[in-house]
Amino acid sequence: MSVPAAELVGVSKRFGPVLANDGIDLAVARGEVHAVIGENGAGKSTLMSILYGLHRPDSGHVLRAGERIRLRSPADAIRHGLGMVHQRFRLFPGLTVAENIVIGAEPVSRGRVDRESAHRAVADLSAKYGLRADPAAQVGGLPVGVRQRVEILRALYRQAEVLILDEPTAVLTPAEADRLFEVLRTVAATGVAILLVTHKLTEVLAASDQVTVLRQGRVTGRFATADTSAGELIHAMIGRSLAAPETRRRSRPDGEPALDVRDLTVHDTDGVPRLSGVSFAVRPGEIVGIAGVAGSGQRELLDTVTGLRSPGRTGQVLLDGAPVVQGRDPRVAYVPEDRHGRATAPEMSLAENLLMGEQHRLATRFGLPRKTVRARAEQLTERFAISAASVDVPITALSGGNAQKAVLARELTRESRVIVVEEPTQGVDVGVRERVHALLTAARDQGGAILLQSSELSELRELSDRILVLFEGRLVAEFDADVAEERLGQAMTGVLP
Ligand SMILES: Nc1ncnc2c1ncn2[C@@H]1O[C@H](COP(=O)(O)OP(=O)(O)O)[C@@H](O)[C@H]1O
Ligand SMILES: [Mg+2]
């Protein structure tokens, strides 16, 4: 093999008790898309941060085109031709696309920033790599997919020869992700080495040439993508094989509904109907899935069921026969899509987040005993396999998958029969996904009445006992979960069965 574009050699990094990287070797060649995969917490971001000069390794070093380099900051990394696209974009919303791309490296003519040549350079780069972005557009108003392109262009403008992308598709729709992969192919074809961090196997198989798998800070597998399989990758990621999906038992309970939704008709502030005459019931012991293309009324429906939104003049939402309480009904357990906004209190610890809403039950007349809080939190942490240095760390210190398990731990152990779950496995890896599914099925089997919304059809079909389809605010179909994906897709897009 010719000299790698970049190489990490024997890299170790410890954060307190956590050995995030443990003697990692990784090499990426020019023109190659190299996927780095692993469960949440495997050490991927740490490794990439070391390569970009954001963290210093405790031991080990970095080679660039065969030369050992010292990286004390991202500025060093950029100087050595390393570029990184961050998961949380670091763009200036008030500036234009072109300004964001050239910032800090502006073309100058007669002592002033040369705006025209900046625009031209950006337009040339966009065209060369098929990264469409209007140089004059203000970044603040752009969709995430475009903002991500701006970040990539910024790295390419600085002549990055190694491009690092940490979970770039987490913020993208599937169509945008496909577009990104095409762009990465084009960029790689010009000789740039690309490191693509992800935990989605389909992306690895679709978009990469080589794969390095990390588990608990170590390399557990190296593969050429063409010679490997999903099964082999999963095994390296989680150290065991996933159980073969058994033929699902479909549950069709016939008791009284725990959740009864009647004739919901909801208009938005412009008077446009968002839900029209929606009625259905969920009984204890079943998972009812809600399918629909984005914006078909799912948001309004779930907000109404959880009491966050009024059911309108004609509508009713009944929990065990009694109307839902407006504001936030404590009888509904709720796992919202927006983990960091609605589901957790970022300024509080893991322990406090695990107990939100349960304070009254645990309080004695002397208040809330710290020991009880800790003991209960530790018990939940263990039972739901939440990995965190301690229950006292801020919830924001947890990885996405662990934060999601914490929200599930809290909500599924509430004594609520009605459980509303949105996108339960968004942004989590296969191991967590499997566990989350098992937890939801167990809650169902213990008599939970679960309303599930997921934009992932395979998830809806795996988990649901039946699936309701929303289209333009109406329930247009109800299917058995074994429905062919094609039929489901037709109903979701208004092509009625
Ligand atoms: N700045 C930090 N301080 C303390 N612990 C950290 C820090 N960054 C990462 N960790 C820990 O190091 C481990 C690896 O994290 P990370 O590299 O983010 O994994 P990944 O990106 O694969 O999900 C995790 O246990 C994480 O909690
Ligand atoms: Mg990460």
Side-chain angles (χ1 to χ4, degrees):
M1 175 170 160
S2 55
V3 181
E7 197 169 355
L8 291 137
V9 183
V11 165
S12 295
K13 177 74 184 176
R14 177 179 284 286
F15 294 109
V18 179
L19 191 49
N21 286 172
D22 185 4
I24 293 180
D25 294 325
L26 176 88
V28 56
R30 280 171 49 84
E32 166 182 295
V33 178
H34 192 122
V36 178
I37 65 167
E39 292 190 271
N40 287 316
K44 306 177 296 288
S45 292
T46 302
L47 190 68
M48 294 304 116
S49 300
I50 287 170
L51 183 57
Y52 193 60
L54 286 163
H55 287 316
R56 305 264 201 102
D58 300 331
S59 57
H61 58 267
V62 175
L63 301 176
R64 171 80 177 91
E67 306 271 339
R68 185 159 167 173
I69 56 172
R70 278 170 61 97
L71 297 168
R72 275 154 306 202
S73 67
D76 284 346
I78 291 167
R79 216 156 26 77
H80 285 292
L82 301 160
M84 182 153 178
V85 173
H86 298 273
Q87 191 168 5
R88 302 226 162 102
F89 304 138
R90 304 183 173 192
L91 298 171
F92 299 96
L95 300 184
T96 65
V97 166
E99 286 163 344
N100 266 286
I101 290 172
V102 303
I103 197 162
E106 293 91 344
V108 174
S109 127
R110 297 199 202 92
R112 312 179 53 150
V113 175
D114 182 348
R115 283 195 47 196
E116 220 163 87
S117 85
H119 273 228
R120 213 167 34 243
V122 169
D124 288 351
L125 275 176
S126 310
K128 179 171 172 195
Y129 296 108
L131 278 156
R132 270 184 298 124
D134 172 9
Q138 186 157 322
V139 159
L142 297 173
V144 276
V146 181
R147 275 186 275 160
Q148 183 176 66
R149 266 177 251 161
V150 174
E151 281 250 347
I152 297 173
L153 285 168
R154 172 147 77 174
L156 295 172
Y157 179 77
R158 285 162 179 67
Q159 293 171 337
E161 290 176 15
V162 179
L163 186 60
I164 306 162
L165 300 104
D166 193 354
E167 308 266 6
T169 60
V171 296
L172 302 182
T173 64
E176 286 175 323
D178 286 343
R179 236 202 350 272
L180 171 67
F181 296 145
E182 279 170 35
V183 166
L184 294 184
R185 276 279 150 235
T186 315
V187 174
T190 66
V192 173
I194 295 180
L195 282 160
L196 172 65
V197 175
T198 178
H199 55 247
K200 297 186 192 159
L201 292 182
T202 47
E203 297 185 346
V204 172
L205 295 169
S208 70
D209 304 304
Q210 299 286 325
V211 193
T212 295
V213 186
L214 301 185
R215 171 157 39 98
Q216 295 176 353
R218 296 187 185 187
V219 174
T220 51
R222 288 193 178 82
F223 307 95
T225 310
D227 303 334
T228 187
S229 63
E232 197 172 33
L233 293 174
I234 289 172
H235 189 81
M237 270 173 83
I238 67 178
R240 62 199 152 91
S241 308
L242 293 181
E246 12 173 339
T247 346
R248 274 278 324 277
R249 174 179 75 76
R250 300 294 171 187
S251 166
R252 274 296 169 97
D254 53 8
E256 287 297 308
L259 170 66
D260 196 356
V261 173
R262 296 186 187 167
D263 198 20
L264 284 189
T265 299
V266 171
H267 297 264
D268 67 15
T269 46
D270 298 328
V272 179
R274 309 298 301 180
L275 291 175
S276 308
V278 170
S279 302
F280 66 92
V282 185
R283 298 185 165 72
E286 69 173 345
I287 300 179
V288 173
I290 299 288
V293 297
S296 300
Q298 299 94 320
R299 178 75 278 131
E300 291 79 4
L301 175 61
L302 297 172
D303 282 353
T304 311
V305 167
T306 49
L308 290 166
R309 177 193 271 269
S310 141
R313 237 174 312 129
T314 57
Q316 278 189 302
V317 174
L318 304 174
L319 301 171
D320 288 322
V324 68
V325 175
Q326 291 301 299
R328 170 75 176 83
D329 195 311
R331 291 172 299 164
V332 182
Y334 181 35
V335 180
E337 173 176 7
D338 176 11
R339 282 197 280 274
H340 298 296
R342 284 184 176 180
T344 55
E347 69 284 2
M348 292 203 227
S349 69
L350 169 60
E352 289 164 329
N353 269 283
L354 280 171
L355 296 188
M356 261 162 48
E358 297 286 284
Q359 298 92 329
H360 306 298
R361 217 160 53 73
L362 295 173
T364 67
R365 62 200 167 95
F366 305 110
L368 202 56
R370 260 192 83 70
K371 251 173 77 183
T372 317
V373 170
R374 277 200 70 116
R376 168 110 176 108
E378 275 163 7
Q379 188 196 344
L380 287 179
T381 306
E382 181 167 337
R383 193 170 132 210
F384 287 81
I386 300 163
S387 79
S390 92
V391 295
D392 300 318
V393 299
I395 185 86
T396 46
L398 269 62
S399 67
N402 282 307
Q404 180 69 342
K405 283 191 277 184
V407 174
L408 279 161
R410 182 185 71 213
E411 296 300 317
L412 297 184
T413 51
R414 256 187 224 300
E415 280 156 18
S416 317
R417 281 214 297 176
V418 176
I419 306 171
V420 175
V421 184
E422 297 171 16
E423 306 288 359
T425 60
Q426 192 173 62
V428 307
D429 58 62
V430 281
V432 172
R433 179 186 153 107
E434 187 193 28
R435 205 164 281 138
V436 165
H437 282 192
L439 290 169
L440 289 173
T441 326
R444 189 263 324 262
D445 293 341
Q446 285 156 21
I450 302 182
L451 186 62
L452 166 74
Q453 187 267 324
S454 171
S455 49
E456 225 189 291
L457 290 191
S458 57
E459 174 160 272
L460 276 180
R461 291 164 77 242
E462 269 169 56
L463 277 179
S464 307
D465 297 302
R466 56 198 170 93
I467 300 178
L468 307 176
V469 182
L470 273 174
F471 177 67
E472 295 184 336
R474 295 175 186 279
L475 277 186
V476 293
E478 174 175 341
F479 292 118
D480 224 56
D482 309 322
V483 60
E485 214 155 278
E486 197 190 340
R487 268 195 86 201
L488 191 53
Q490 285 175 339
M492 287 166 58
T493 50
V495 184
L496 293 178

